[in-house]
Amino acid sequence: MKLIFFHMQGYRDLPDNFSDKYESVWVNPPTDELCDPVMEGQYLRWNLEEIELAARLGYDGVGTNEHHQNAYGFPMPNLTAYHVAAVTKDVAIVLLGMTLPIYHPLRVAEEMGQIDCLSGGRLVAGWPVGTSMDVNHCYGVTPTQTRGRWAEAHDLIKAAWTRKGPFVWNGKYNKLRFVNPWPKPIQQPHPPIWLAGGGSLETFELAAKENYTYSFLSFGGHLAGNDMMQQFWETNDKSGNDANPYRGGFAQIVMVADTDQEAERLYEQHVKNFYMKSLHVAPQFAVTPGYSTKRSLENSIKKMQAATAFDPAYRRAVTWKSAIESGQVIGGSPATVRDQLLEASKRMRIGNWILLMQLQSMPHDLTNHNIRLFAEKVMPHVRDLWDDEWDAGPYWPSGARKPKLATEAAKSRATDRVPAE
Amino acid sequence: MTSAPENRRVHLPSGLVAEYLCKGSGPPLLFLHSSFGRTWTAFLEQLAKSFTVYAPMSPGGVEPMELDSFDGFNDLALFYDDLIRALGLDRVTLVGHSFGGMAAAEYAAYFPERVLKLVLMDALGLWIDDQPVADIHTVGPAKVPALLFADPAGEAAREVMKPPSPEQAGEFMLRTQLAQASAIHFYWPIPDRDLVRRLYRIQSPTLLVWGAEDRVTPPVYAEKFATGISGPTKIRLIEGAGHFAHVEQTRAVVDAIGAFAGETTLSAA
């Protein structure tokens, strides 16, 4: 399996009364009151150090995502990716953003092309539709145009990467005389394209049709997400595709300590903090008329669910115990974590684990501890799953080699970085 | 004895299909509904005593795919003009509420010769920087009734905001979501598409019916419409009413429209 250290780059210090005092963690949390630019600079440094540590310790990939006007995410993952591309050698760079509907597609084609060139072909090009908060409320895209803009950007970027240019593009949203991005990516025919979402049927169908990896992103964990992944595989099977587990990705909070008790002691406050504050999204931002298709809307009304990954149920007061029982967190001793990870991998056929190992308030040292323990005591026991049966090749960047294990990596730490000169 | 309006469909030369409710006798009156969707209300029932009322469904209100054919109010104005022609009407009294008022004003600016009289009720479409139009789509559900109604706990608020019965909750939610999606398709995130530049083209006598307690588009917006429109205008503020004046004070609004329609000349306000 592929183990991806994934950093959401959240703001680490929100006030204790955040959820009572402020309406939403997203869109309108007042920046002037909550976000200190000097502290943000410190956090950004820590984020990069944590990502680099994971790369050195042998994680298959490192990644980050994109959110806007949001206290638990960060807006420009491509900037992070560019830095990581410069200072690492083997690791895959899993860029789950850029959020296509809010960008000029040529800009995405060029920026991702540049990252792929600098990294030597290590880019995973994640193209999320984006949440309604990001796309409609922060960037002002008309909700009913969200999917149309995504679809045209998808077609245009792919064409820009694969067709001989310059060529003319006469779309609904983009009219261009000269499509001729400079540079194009190293990877041929293009970097692996990953879709990411909260379980909409249309996205499952697109992934199946185009042979893209689909990653289910939620904070509900491996038990709540089980039905969604079953639906994904059913859609995939129906279209006649093989059952390669590298078609599937799953985001999961993972926290390792020396013992189960120690994990609870170290991480519980951060889990509580995260669920209470980061999922505090105002409902009017999460469910915007026109963002979902009619079919998805009917489906969610039928299930009497909000059409969003930000289900209020996740926001209830969690404890370490409840988070473990519900599957929201895979956490505990190395043995506990590897058993649960293997069980969930096989049950949901997950080839790519998007490991959420830094939660908002977690300090730098504790995050590093989590990254190290996982690399040393979990990774060696789980990483070979699937590899005797399935090839990650079509879904994994061609320039990313299987990195060394943590123990070997520790020995060669000094040489695993590109010289700074 | 009241009877239900007829539900009709007409194929337009553009290939689109218009669906509308129709009832009554008398001169033709076209009613364009708000982002809360189209229902046959007591207001329309009473207008149907004096007019032949046509109440079309705004495009995309049932089938969102239709919206692919609409990029803005120019497309919407052409759609309504195709409908008016298909109905064989020459000139109409045009009444629009909120988003429908914005659409009606746009239509009257594009096709001034087709509008006999124009009634704008708590209409969107203009923007005043220091008194911005409130946004019911982003304030949060708890605050919406107080924005929309003079009496947020009254019968009118229930009629607009709640399903007729608990069994119809799912259907009501679907209908409301699709109606709102189809309206904000034209004006997200701010209901200003430079209509102010086109207002001068509106030549018809125009009645501006406004809830005195409209907290979405406060009455100052009625004045701004009146200032920009070239035809004679009249402002009628409705006491005890908010953004849904015709639902909260149905009688007063129907009487105001009846009196306005009966006038042969209007002095400028």
Side-chain angles (χ1 to χ4, degrees):
Chain A
M1 65 171 76
K2 297 294 186 189
L3 297 161
I4 301 154
F5 173 76
F6 201 77
H7 210 310
M8 294 185 285
Q9 307 200 73
Y11 194 80
R12 302 196 188 199
D13 183 23
L14 292 176
D16 288 341
N17 64 350
F18 175 81
S19 302
D20 297 324
K21 187 168 175 194
Y22 299 100
E23 185 180 28
S24 181
V25 74
W26 214 325
V27 181
N28 64 353
T31 308
D32 294 327
E33 289 174 36
L34 293 165
C35 179
D36 176 346
V38 176
M39 287 314 296
E40 189 64 74
Q42 176 63 69
Y43 299 152
L44 286 167
R45 285 189 178 280
W46 285 340
N47 297 345
L48 292 176
E49 286 169 21
E50 289 154 10
I51 290 169
E52 289 173 48
L53 175 66
R56 284 201 302 276
L57 293 180
Y59 287 72
D60 300 284
V62 291
T64 187
N65 56 341
E66 171 178 356
H67 290 311
H68 298 268
Q69 298 179 194
N70 176 311
Y72 81 78
F74 217 75
M76 295 300 167
N78 41 337
L79 297 183
T80 305
Y82 199 67
H83 170 84
V84 173
V87 301
T88 60
K89 282 198 309 195
D90 295 330
V91 73
I93 297 167
V94 180
L95 188 51
L96 293 192
M98 303 159 82
T99 298
L100 298 191
I102 66 175
Y103 294 113
H104 193 303
L106 267 192
R107 173 135 195 153
V108 178
E110 290 181 329
E111 286 190 2
M112 286 193 159
Q114 197 168 330
I115 295 166
D116 200 54
C117 291
L118 178 65
S119 68
R122 290 185 282 136
L123 178 71
V124 166
W127 290 352
V129 171
T131 67
S132 184
M133 289 70 89
D134 295 317
V135 175
N136 308 134
H137 291 281
C138 295
Y139 272 71
V141 172
T142 301
T144 42
Q145 291 185 348
T146 306
R147 281 153 217 284
R149 284 183 181 276
W150 186 91
E152 184 173 323
H154 164 274
D155 294 349
L156 173 49
I157 300 166
K158 211 167 157 181
W161 279 349
T162 54
R163 276 175 64 182
K164 198 165 182 290
F167 60 85
V168 176
W169 185 268
N170 182 13
K172 180 180 171 82
Y173 303 106
N174 305 277
K175 301 208 181 274
L176 301 164
R177 276 284 170 192
F178 302 98
V179 179
N180 188 33
W182 187 308
K184 289 187 177 185
I186 288 177
Q187 294 184 75
Q188 292 298 322
H190 55 75
I193 294 167
W194 284 23
L195 306 179
S200 86
L201 303 168
E202 289 83 0
T203 314
F204 291 165
E205 287 162 1
L206 184 70
K209 176 172 162 250
E210 300 277 5
N211 276 313
Y212 295 155
T213 288
Y214 173 83
S215 294
F216 183 63
L217 304 185
S218 80
F219 301 112
H222 64 102
L223 297 177
N226 194 64
D227 287 356
M228 280 294 181
M229 288 314 296
Q230 296 306 334
Q231 269 190 29
F232 165 76
W233 287 116
E234 279 167 28
T235 308
N236 182 69
D237 294 349
K238 245 183 259 171
S239 65
N241 291 338
D242 67 29
N244 190 331
Y246 292 105
R247 292 175 183 276
F250 198 88
Q252 176 68 48
I253 296 172
V254 173
M255 299 182 149
V256 199
D258 290 331
T259 64
D260 290 351
Q261 293 76 10
E262 178 74 353
E264 179 170 358
R265 191 183 69 78
L266 288 176
Y267 299 116
E268 181 175 43
Q269 59 171 307
H270 303 294
V271 171
K272 281 182 169 176
N273 181 80
F274 179 77
Y275 279 97
M276 286 306 290
K277 295 175 187 171
S278 295
L279 297 196
H280 179 57
V281 179
Q284 68 270 20
F285 298 142
V287 184
T288 310
Y291 171 79
S292 297
T293 62
K294 183 179 180 181
R295 191 173 152 212
S296 291
L297 183 61
E298 285 170 330
N299 199 32
S300 61
I301 288 174
K302 216 178 289 168
K303 293 190 206 152
M304 292 308 281
Q305 285 173 349
T308 168
F310 294 86
D311 191 313
Y314 302 151
R315 261 182 276 167
R316 70 188 187 280
V318 297
T319 61
W320 177 259
K321 192 163 175 280
S322 76
I324 298 292
E325 279 169 6
S326 70
Q328 283 164 291
V329 173
I330 290 182
S333 71
T336 303
V337 169
R338 63 193 182 225
D339 288 350
Q340 289 194 19
L341 206 54
L342 283 172
E343 186 278 326
S345 302
K346 290 173 192 163
R347 170 164 45 79
M348 297 193 291
R349 289 194 75 76
I350 300 300
N352 310 290
W353 281 98
I354 295 164
L355 304 166
L356 310 175
M357 302 179 71
Q358 198 286 330
L359 286 187
Q360 204 162 41
S361 60
M362 271 171 69
H364 185 47
D365 289 350
L366 183 59
T367 306
N368 287 345
H369 179 66
N370 194 22
I371 294 168
R372 282 206 181 90
L373 263 187
F374 185 90
E376 287 164 12
K377 300 197 171 161
V378 179
M379 208 187 289
H381 303 274
V382 300
R383 63 171 2 210
D384 293 334
L385 180 70
W386 307 123
D387 284 357
D388 51 346
E389 293 173 78
W390 297 100
D391 177 16
Y395 309 100
W396 197 249
S398 54
R401 294 194 296 273
K402 189 122 195 168
K404 302 177 192 79
L405 286 171
T407 42
E408 302 163 45
K411 286 178 212 152
S412 60
R413 195 167 294 171
T415 59
D416 204 27
R417 270 186 72 126
V418 174
E421 57 192 344
Chain B
M1 184 72 193
T2 58
S3 60
E6 281 183 59
N7 191 332
R8 297 182 189 162
R9 291 161 62 82
V10 55
H11 290 264
L12 304 178
S14 61
L16 295 164
V17 175
E19 181 267 335
Y20 61 99
L21 298 175
C22 181
K23 185 174 176 180
S25 57
L29 182 151
L30 196 71
F31 173 75
L32 305 184
H33 64 80
S34 76
S35 68
F36 280 77
R38 183 203 58 192
T39 45
W40 189 260
T41 53
F43 169 72
L44 293 179
E45 183 68 29
Q46 290 187 34
L47 284 180
K49 289 174 183 161
S50 314
F51 299 93
T52 305
V53 174
Y54 300 91
M57 175 72 80
S58 190
V62 175
E63 182 37 73
M65 294 298 282
E66 289 171 0
L67 294 169
D68 289 348
S69 303
F70 294 85
D71 287 339
F73 281 96
N74 50 347
D75 291 320
L76 194 56
L78 292 175
F79 172 82
Y80 285 128
D81 199 57
D82 284 346
L83 171 62
I84 288 169
R85 286 165 188 266
L87 294 173
L89 305 175
D90 178 24
R91 304 181 79 194
V92 297
T93 293
L94 183 59
V95 181
H97 169 231
S98 189
F99 158 63
M102 188 175 183
E106 290 280 9
Y107 180 81
Y110 282 104
F111 298 100
E113 65 283 356
R114 284 202 170 272
V115 180
L116 180 67
K117 291 193 174 179
L118 177 65
V119 180
L120 302 180
M121 309 195 302
D122 302 289
L124 302 176
L126 302 181
W127 186 261
I128 301 169
D129 278 336
D130 53 8
Q131 284 183 279
V133 176
D135 188 359
I136 59 158
H137 306 291
T138 56
V139 293
K143 295 181 188 156
V144 171
L147 270 184
L148 289 176
F149 302 96
D151 177 7
E155 181 55 38
R158 267 198 300 281
E159 184 183 327
V160 174
M161 307 282 301
K162 303 276 186 210
S165 71
E167 296 75 48
Q168 288 163 279
E171 185 203 332
F172 180 82
M173 186 178 168
L174 180 66
R175 180 153 46 89
T176 307
Q177 288 271 316
L178 293 178
Q180 295 201 350
S182 68
I184 59 185
H185 175 79
F186 290 96
Y187 65 75
W188 181 271
I190 287 176
D192 176 11
R193 293 296 182 273
D194 300 319
L195 169 62
V196 69
R197 287 208 305 257
R198 296 182 284 279
L199 279 184
Y200 77 92
R201 289 178 51 87
I202 300 177
Q203 306 292 334
S204 60
T206 301
L207 175 66
L208 299 147
V209 182
W210 235 261
E213 296 173 57
D214 186 343
R215 288 180 277 270
V216 176
T217 44
V220 65
Y221 279 92
E223 290 162 27
K224 194 167 169 78
F225 270 107
T227 305
I229 289 171
S230 295
T233 60
K234 191 179 196 173
I235 296 174
R236 176 79 164 81
L237 287 188
I238 307 293
E239 296 300 327
H243 193 63
F244 278 75
H246 64 299
V247 184
E248 282 194 294
Q249 302 294 341
T250 305
R251 188 74 257 164
V253 177
V254 169
D255 288 350
I257 293 173
F260 170 67
E263 291 172 20
T264 49
T265 57
L266 258 169
S267 56

